[in-house]
Amino acid sequence: MFESSRYLRRLEAESIYILREVASEFRNPVMLYSIGKDSSVMLHLAMKAFYPSKPPFPLLHVDTTWKFQEMIAFRDETIARLGLDLIVHTNKEGREMGINPIDHGSAHYTDVMKTQGLKQALDHHRFDAAFGGARRDEEKSRAKERVFSFRSASHRWEPKNQRPELWSLFNSRINLGESIRAFPLSNWTEIDIWHYILLEDIPVVPLYFAAERLVVERDGMLIMVDDDRLPLEANETPVKRRVRFRTLGCYPLTGAIESEATSVSEIIEELIISQVSERQGRLIDHDQAGAMEKKKQEGYF
Amino acid sequence: MPDLKIVAADGRQRERQSLSEFLASEDEKTLLKVLTCGSVDDGKSTLIGRLLFDCQLIFADQMDALEQDSRRVGSTGGELDLALLVDGLQAEREQGITIDVAYRYFSTPKRKFIVADTPGHEQYTRNMATGASTSDLAILLVDARKGILTQTRRHSCIVSLLGIRHVVLAVNKMDLVDYSEERFEAIADAYTNFARELGIENIVCIPLSALKGENVIQPSSEMQWYHGPSLLAHLETVDVGDNAATLPLRLPVQWINRRNDDFRGYAGTIASGTLRPGDEVALSSSGQTAKISRIVTYDGDLELAAAGDAVTVTLDREIDVSRGDIMAAPDARPKFADQFAAHIIWFSENELLPGRPYILKCGGQLTTVSVSALRYKINVDTLDHVAGRSLALNEVAFCNLSTERPIAFDAYEENRRTGSFILIDKLTNETVGAGMIVYELRRATNIHWQSLDIDKTARATLKNQKPCCLWFTGLSGSGKSTIANVLEKKLHAMGCHTYLLDGDNVRHGLNRDLGFTDADRVENIRRVAETAKLFVDAGLIVMVSFISPFKSERRMARDMFEDEEFVEVWVDTPLEICEKRDAKGLYKKARAGEIKNFTGIDSAYEIPEKADIRLSAGDETPEELVSRLLTLLEFHNKD
């Protein structure tokens, strides 16, 4: 265990406590694995929490089929390296209907391929608890999220009617069909995540580091041309720019930033002087005021 | 990308740190968990927005959104509305109030802060208790124009109950009272006197204006008469001394780690004290002792672990350990009892009723609990003790509690982690209350079960019958007693040993001291269920004929018996028919308002969802219904 930063050790211990509490009190938990930096940290914490055993639950990735190719490669490599069980779920109806982020708009696409896809997977496997890597500092509606967040049988979140959460006494009692979303990283901030990745030497998707990548500029965002499915407007020509990503999602919806940071420590240096919050690179948050709150009520993470 | 230059209100520019400077400063930083509370419109959200804004933690895109939102829904006439930075949920932004606890994170070169921003108005007091439960320090806001309000007192009381020892009284909106020293001193004096009564040790009063940024970060130029620190300067330097590592060892076992036959470890977070390999520990439940062999972590075995560390330990010998057990220093063990006294804060719209069973969660321990005596309620505005028979939303009381199984605990004052519990409703699964244990009740340790040689089976065998309890529930006048009476006659004729406990009859004797409030109804049922249990233990077939209107108490009764011993009989007669019969003239009186709390009229009857049999007494004669019951009983008595 690293000797430095008592603060991060305290955060680490809090997260491990939450992971163990869910494993103890639920019949059939699952960890939602989104491949990003937060998921990497959450998975690392799970490896610690149950050591020398493996985490006593599978991982679930909701694959929208529009993730960056490097993400999928990183996912498969990570699962193989750690020897874990991974469930990959894609909303089949959505895929058959050809729902995509380009023709159907980010809101509708996200609802079908992410939110509905997630609900299908949770229902199919009858998971009664699901870990998510969300942090309270990410977005305003998340600042009020409980560590154990109750979801009705239809996966809805009722922000006005949340269970009070005192000390670290989490109420895990639910009826059949209802579930709990548990957030072990609730109290972490973006800089804590990177600081911890640095100290613990946790592998992350190479897309976080700056490199020459083929991008187009669209609505003020730099969109990477990850494969030939991205239709180009007449006036658009992909150009090579030195870019990296602060968050990772579906590639047509995720904006890159121009950067020279090629290592974790350079990312931290960049963050120290950064003036843009990390969710700015996400199209789906900007659809309408209170967008995230709405998505969460509907069951999005 | 919006190109907005962010400059703090005082003109400070964020200095560019190098990575090595950053890492060095991070190592030094301590964490302070802060609670902010106050009445509606005291300006809490504005104050936190100001802290975030002046510490330059607002990113350019958030700033852009803030400017747009300020124009759209802001309450500052188009100027930047800093409260919008923290009022997250759309509903509350539109109403201009904070309705839920929100957590904020910010950091200065000296400290990291987690701020729990909690709502002011009364119905959300439960969220304030939530924020207070994990905080080291509380900032209470008051409006300089209004001074100390009921809410301020209420929140101070909760802050003190939840063991927060440091309070900052932030007298806000000083700009609206012309920065008057006199006004500030009057408020500070009044508050200090009140807070001392509550036993809050450290009180600091600071005059400020969140809106104008006076005394928030920088000393105020408008209030030269004030010589104390600004709010942030105080928060950065106050010592809240965490002494958990110096207390006796408490390691609550959270999860049993069985990798395979050769590894059996016990995982948990150390609540207090320190731990080394070779230390002897005692288990709370059995009192057995063992020595720690290893402290196992992913990063290698540890030679020393302390309060706050999440560890997995192995022991030098095999003893029975399960989740909820506390490993403790053998010479300073926690209390282990099934009766104790505690302060309770109630969160639910449904009242707490003494005698009603709830689920108690204390660390990893789960058991059924009920309040055996509500000793007094605390008027949180005046601190007076008030008598009461039930506890409503947001009320606080000092109670005796009785658990089904003994639990291990410490006094909350000594150890927050092992002295706290939550209460969960058995039917809705809602978190309905929070408790802080004050002391164990002596009688628990001195009354032991006397084991007797003749048991229930022996008594039943002699009578050649299977004892059971038939629980008749239904409205007044539904025919419960009539049916039970016919059934008892039949059973008696068949040579069975029976007893009929009738609601009205029992109220003439055993329960003559009880009335018809919800609290008394619960106690009424508890006593009858206990009596029925004794009779079943004696080998009898017992019929209980009680309205028993609440699901919780019927379930409590059911839980006292073995599965096959309890038969819930719902005599389902429509209210109109019961009222038409009105054999005792009670409905007439209730309708006239002469009887209060009459079931079906002004007190609820909760319909049974899982009755073993439903008798439709409006359609069939008592004899027909009884023959159906006898069939059920025969079936019941088959092995």
Side-chain angles (χ1 to χ4, degrees):
Chain A
M1 201 182 289
F2 49 92
E3 284 305 309
S4 55
S5 192
R6 287 188 57 77
Y7 172 73
L8 279 181
R9 276 184 59 183
R10 185 165 166 183
L11 283 180
E12 179 190 69
E14 269 184 26
S15 302
I16 288 175
Y17 176 85
I18 295 161
L19 286 155
R20 288 173 173 168
E21 198 64 8
V22 171
S24 300
E25 295 220 318
F26 290 88
R27 193 179 35 82
N28 191 18
V30 66
M31 176 172 280
L32 300 180
Y33 178 66
S34 71
I35 318 172
K37 61 182 191 304
D38 301 315
S39 279
S40 291
V41 167
M42 179 164 66
L43 182 55
H44 185 73
L45 290 164
M47 296 302 291
K48 286 194 166 194
F50 305 103
Y51 180 84
S53 301
K54 292 274 168 65
F57 41 75
L59 274 57
L60 169 66
H61 178 230
V62 178
D63 191 347
T64 59
T65 74
W66 287 87
K67 299 292 172 193
F68 291 92
Q69 296 169 51
E70 280 182 78
M71 289 173 73
I72 302 301
F74 179 85
R75 176 194 75 189
D76 295 341
E77 189 274 320
T78 302
I79 298 305
R81 177 168 49 83
L82 301 177
L84 301 173
D85 295 331
L86 172 75
I87 299 164
V88 176
H89 179 86
T90 300
N91 182 348
K92 285 202 187 66
E93 295 82 39
R95 182 161 61 187
E96 277 157 19
M97 285 187 291
I99 302 292
N100 66 71
I102 294 143
D103 301 320
H104 300 94
S106 72
H108 181 56
Y109 160 77
T110 305
D111 178 55
V112 174
M113 297 308 288
K114 284 183 90 163
T115 310
Q116 301 306 328
L118 175 63
K119 288 186 197 173
Q120 287 171 355
L122 295 177
D123 287 342
H124 177 75
H125 296 279
R126 299 180 179 200
F127 292 121
D128 53 356
F131 292 107
R135 292 176 282 113
R136 286 182 181 140
D137 84 318
E138 273 178 82
E139 206 268 343
K140 268 186 276 190
S141 78
R142 284 192 170 157
K144 311 211 161 182
E145 183 72 87
R146 301 292 193 260
V147 175
F148 272 36
S149 185
F150 176 82
R151 302 301 155 103
S152 67
S154 55
H155 302 284
R156 278 186 70 85
W157 180 59
E158 286 297 338
K160 278 195 171 179
N161 195 22
Q162 300 193 76
R163 292 175 176 179
E165 203 161 80
L166 291 98
W167 301 287
S168 47
L169 294 173
F170 304 114
N171 176 353
S172 43
R173 308 232 355 147
I174 50 171
N175 288 320
L176 198 67
E178 296 167 346
S179 62
I180 293 287
R181 304 272 169 99
F183 301 108
L185 303 180
S186 286
N187 282 332
W188 295 60
T189 63
E190 187 185 16
I191 201 139
D192 297 331
I193 292 285
W194 282 114
H195 191 184
Y196 189 71
I197 289 171
L198 177 75
L199 293 174
E200 295 278 294
D201 202 14
I202 301 169
V204 292
V205 185
L207 290 161
Y208 285 112
F209 303 116
E212 296 281 325
R213 295 188 171 96
L214 210 52
V215 295
V216 291
E217 196 169 333
R218 190 174 281 182
D219 302 327
M221 300 216 313
L222 295 173
I223 302 295
M224 180 169 152
V225 186
D226 194 50
D227 57 34
D228 53 14
R229 289 182 295 174
L230 187 73
L232 298 175
E233 307 284 327
N235 60 346
E236 284 179 338
T237 322
V239 287
K240 284 231 160 174
R241 300 270 276 269
R242 199 163 173 78
V243 296
R244 65 176 204 89
F245 293 86
R246 279 183 75 180
T247 62
L248 293 177
C250 298
Y251 84 81
L253 299 176
T254 310
I257 55 167
E258 300 206 84
S259 166
E260 294 295 328
T262 56
S263 66
V264 176
S265 42
E266 283 170 10
I267 287 174
I268 293 175
E269 274 186 292
E270 196 180 89
L271 271 177
I272 300 170
I273 57 165
S274 164
Q275 292 199 342
V276 178
S277 72
E278 64 188 311
R279 295 205 74 86
Q280 202 253 353
R282 295 253 181 151
L283 260 177
I284 55 169
D285 289 358
H286 300 292
D287 293 344
Q288 62 190 110
M292 181 62 87
E293 184 187 340
K294 232 180 142 140
K295 287 197 180 66
K296 283 183 56 180
Q297 287 184 12
E298 289 156 6
Y300 176 75
F301 245 82
Chain B
M1 195 175 300
D3 181 28
L4 255 165
K5 194 77 194 155
I6 307 301
V7 180
D10 60 1
R12 285 196 311 184
Q13 283 277 357
R14 173 177 278 201
E15 282 168 31
R16 200 185 163 123
Q17 262 182 322
S18 74
L19 180 71
S20 55
E21 281 168 351
F22 165 77
L23 294 178
S25 74
E26 287 299 291
D27 281 357
E28 299 297 314
K29 276 183 198 175
T30 52
L31 172 69
L32 189 71
K33 291 193 171 183
V34 180
L35 167 77
T36 59
C37 41
S39 296
V40 189
D41 300 330
D42 285 340
K44 280 191 317 287
S45 297
T46 308
L47 180 71
I48 297 166
R50 170 62 67 187
L51 282 169
L52 297 176
F53 186 77
D54 282 5
C55 291
Q56 286 182 295
L57 287 146
I58 312 301
F59 293 119
D61 58 319
Q62 288 175 339
M63 188 68 186
D64 203 29
L66 175 63
E67 288 191 330
Q68 279 182 26
D69 287 352
S70 296
R71 281 193 292 273
R72 205 168 57 83
V73 292
S75 56
T76 48
E79 277 188 55
L80 277 189
D81 186 349
L82 296 177
L84 295 179
L85 282 172
V86 287
D87 290 347
L89 301 176
Q90 200 167 14
E92 72 193 56
R93 285 166 65 182
E94 280 159 13
Q95 290 164 20
I97 49 164
T98 312
I99 57 167
D100 201 344
V101 59
Y103 295 90
R104 303 287 153 199
Y105 304 82
F106 74 98
S107 164
T108 70
K110 290 186 180 150
R111 256 190 178 158
K112 290 218 178 208
F113 297 93
I114 298 181
V115 178
D117 181 20
T118 65
H121 32 301
E122 196 173 329
Q123 65 267 43
Y124 295 104
T125 294
R126 60 181 204 168
N127 290 323
M128 212 212 87
T130 303
S133 71
T134 52
S135 295
D136 309 308
L137 177 145
I139 302 175
L140 256 79
L141 267 94
V142 295
D143 185 327
R145 295 169 301 174
K146 297 177 187 156
I148 311 299
L149 300 177
T150 303
Q151 278 296 307
T152 321
R153 296 199 187 96
R154 176 180 295 271
H155 290 166
S156 302
C157 185
I158 292 168
V159 157
S160 128
L161 271 177
L162 282 146
I164 298 182
R165 297 193 166 92
H166 295 261
V167 168
V168 174
L169 186 79
V171 182
N172 192 23
K173 306 198 182 181
M174 287 298 292
D175 53 315
L176 299 179
V177 295
D178 298 325
Y179 300 105
S180 159
E181 178 178 8
E182 208 179 314
R183 180 74 189 136
F184 169 73
E185 291 297 342
I187 294 171
D189 281 353
Y191 183 73
T192 308
N193 287 334
F194 176 77
R196 282 223 184 92
E197 276 186 65
L198 285 170
I200 297 172
E201 295 161 25
N202 303 287
I203 306 153
V204 172
C205 303
I206 302 176
L208 54 85
S209 164
L211 191 68
K212 308 280 181 191
E214 299 284 335
N215 258 345
V216 178
I217 312 270
Q218 298 292 313
S220 168
S221 55
E222 299 283 349
M223 291 176 278
Q224 300 283 350
W225 46 264
Y226 172 77
H227 303 295
S230 71
L231 178 63
L232 186 68
H234 178 64
L235 296 181
E236 279 183 323
T237 52
V238 62
D239 175 17
V240 292
D242 178 15
N243 65 346
T246 65
L247 298 171
L249 174 74
R250 299 287 183 261
L251 172 57
V253 176
Q254 202 184 358
W255 188 71
I256 313 286
N257 194 333
R258 289 183 213 91
R259 186 183 49 184
N260 43 38
D261 289 343
D262 68 336
F263 186 87
R264 191 177 176 85
Y266 307 101
T269 300
I270 301 176
S272 64
T274 56
L275 189 67
R276 291 173 196 276
D279 283 358
E280 188 161 45
V281 295
L283 273 189
S284 57
S285 59
S286 62
Q288 285 181 291
T289 61
K291 280 193 174 128
I292 302 288
S293 302
R294 297 170 58 200
I295 305 174
V296 182
T297 79
Y298 178 89
D299 303 284
D301 282 12
L302 299 182
E303 281 309 306
L304 171 69
D309 291 344
V311 294
T312 300
V313 299
T314 61
L315 300 177
D316 70 338
R317 72 197 77 150
E318 266 194 31
I319 54 174
D320 190 21
V321 184
S322 46
R323 173 174 159 82
D325 269 329
I326 296 179
M327 292 187 184
D331 56 348
R333 303 183 189 202
K335 304 282 186 289
F336 189 65
D338 59 3
Q339 311 244 358
F340 51 88
H343 286 113
I344 290 180
I345 304 180
W346 194 246
F347 299 144
S348 171
E349 302 277 352
N350 301 317
E351 289 182 315
L352 175 148
L353 301 174
R356 178 171 280 191
Y358 300 95
I359 294 162
L360 173 140
K361 184 173 183 186
C362 175
Q365 307 173 100
L366 275 180
T367 182
T368 297
V369 68
S370 62
V371 168
S372 47
L374 201 162
R375 293 168 65 168
Y376 54 81
K377 296 205 263 189
I378 299 172
N379 179 331
V380 290
D381 306 335
T382 60
L383 305 182
D384 289 342
H385 295 177
V386 194
R389 304 201 72 167
S390 65
L391 205 56
L393 176 66
N394 289 321
E395 287 191 327
V396 176
F398 187 56
C399 304
N400 290 352
L401 290 98
S402 165
T403 53
E404 195 176 76
R405 287 181 294 111
I407 59 163
F409 60 84
D410 292 293
Y412 183 74
E413 201 179 49
E414 287 160 24
N415 197 323
R416 261 168 119 169
R417 275 194 178 264
T418 51
S420 52
F421 61 85
I422 55 170
L423 298 173
I424 301 168
D425 188 283
K426 282 199 154 189
L427 297 173
T428 64
N429 292 330
E430 291 292 316
T431 305
V432 288
M436 286 125 310
I437 299 175
V438 183
Y439 49 77
E440 86 177 294
L441 292 169
R442 282 278 159 218
R443 62 174 177 236
T445 45
N446 295 329
I447 301 176
H448 298 281
W449 277 104
Q450 184 71 42
S451 61
L452 303 169
D453 292 331
I454 303 298
D455 65 2
K456 178 159 57 181
T457 317
R459 295 181 198 109
T461 310
L462 194 65
K463 296 187 175 66
N464 195 22
Q465 65 186 32
K466 274 203 167 182
C468 69
C469 171
L470 290 132
W471 191 280
F472 291 80
T473 171
L475 295 169
S476 175
S478 59
K480 297 181 298 297
S481 296
T482 310
I483 298 166
N485 189 37
V486 173
L487 176 65
E488 190 176 25
K489 277 198 281 187
K490 290 248 166 154
L491 288 170
H492 188 77
M494 288 157 67
C496 295
H497 298 254
T498 58
Y499 196 84
L500 173 54
L501 285 161
D502 179 81
D504 286 348
N505 295 353
V506 173
R507 275 185 180 279
H508 284 298
L510 179 64
N511 290 353
R512 70 191 306 164
D513 57 327
L514 299 176
F516 290 88
T517 62
D518 285 356
D520 281 357
R521 283 174 188 273
V522 172
E523 176 61 14
N524 187 34
I525 299 302
R526 190 191 69 80
R527 290 185 196 172
V528 168
E530 288 284 4
T531 308
K533 189 183 166 185
L534 289 174
F535 286 2
V536 167
D537 198 52
L540 300 179
I541 295 170
V542 183
M543 283 142 281
V544 176
S545 167
F546 269 63
I547 297 172
S548 43
F550 303 134
K551 277 185 221 166
S552 300
E553 281 65 54
R554 292 193 300 258
R555 181 153 165 174
M556 167 176 75
R558 181 185 285 273
D559 287 348
M560 285 186 193
F561 295 87
E562 306 290 327
D563 275 349
E564 70 279 9
E565 278 175 7
F566 190 87
V567 183
E568 186 173 328
V569 183
W570 176 24
V571 183
D572 180 20
T573 310
L575 180 64
E576 306 82 67
I577 296 181
C578 297
E579 196 166 352
K580 216 158 114 191
R581 289 180 186 159
D582 205 9
K584 301 167 192 159
L586 296 174
Y587 281 97
K588 209 171 167 187
K589 285 187 185 165
R591 288 286 183 203
E594 291 163 31
I595 306 177
K596 291 280 172 219
N597 301 320
F598 195 81
T599 302
I601 307 296
D602 58 347
S603 184
Y605 179 81
E606 297 172 3
I607 288 174
E609 279 160 9
K610 288 177 192 153
D612 297 289
I613 183 166
R614 175 174 160 265
L615 301 180
S616 181
D619 307 331
E620 292 173 81
T621 65
E623 285 69 22
E624 286 167 334
L625 296 169
V626 165
S627 68
R628 280 178 61 196
L629 277 174
L630 285 170
T631 315
L632 180 80
L633 275 184
E634 266 171 50
F635 177 74
H636 221 78
N637 281 342
K638 271 184 202 149
D639 282 317

